[in-house]
Amino acid sequence: MKLSNEAENKMYRTKQVQFRMNPKIFNQLKSTIVFDENMHSMADLFNEAAKKYLEEKGVKIDG
């Protein structure tokens, strides 16, 4: 069965993730990212951390 273009596009969209974080840590993290020229957003930070974690675990990253 072949997927429609719309279904295929939805399959490859980035996913939004929600989680809970200690408010003090969140505020420190947010204010630190603001002044970091190499980090643009929390999403960038967590994406980088996820890739590093997967690499450390020997998981091949497809995308």
Side-chain angles (χ1 to χ4, degrees):
M1 182 171 100
K2 184 171 167 49
L3 294 175
S4 70
N5 283 341
E6 183 178 348
E8 189 171 335
N9 288 340
K10 286 182 181 181
M11 188 169 72
Y12 292 106
R13 286 186 192 165
T14 58
K15 305 297 181 202
Q16 185 173 355
V17 179
Q18 183 177 12
F19 63 92
R20 301 202 179 275
M21 180 182 279
N22 177 298
K24 289 180 182 178
I25 294 172
F26 173 80
N27 289 330
Q28 289 176 313
L29 183 60
K30 183 171 68 171
S31 64
T32 302
I33 289 173
V34 167
F35 296 106
D36 186 345
E37 294 178 8
N38 299 316
M39 190 61 56
H40 302 292
S41 70
M42 282 195 195
D44 291 340
L45 173 71
F46 291 115
N47 283 323
E48 284 186 26
K51 287 179 184 177
K52 284 182 182 178
Y53 176 79
L54 291 171
E55 288 172 357
E56 288 173 2
K57 298 297 180 184
V59 177
K60 183 179 178 199
I61 300 169
D62 295 333

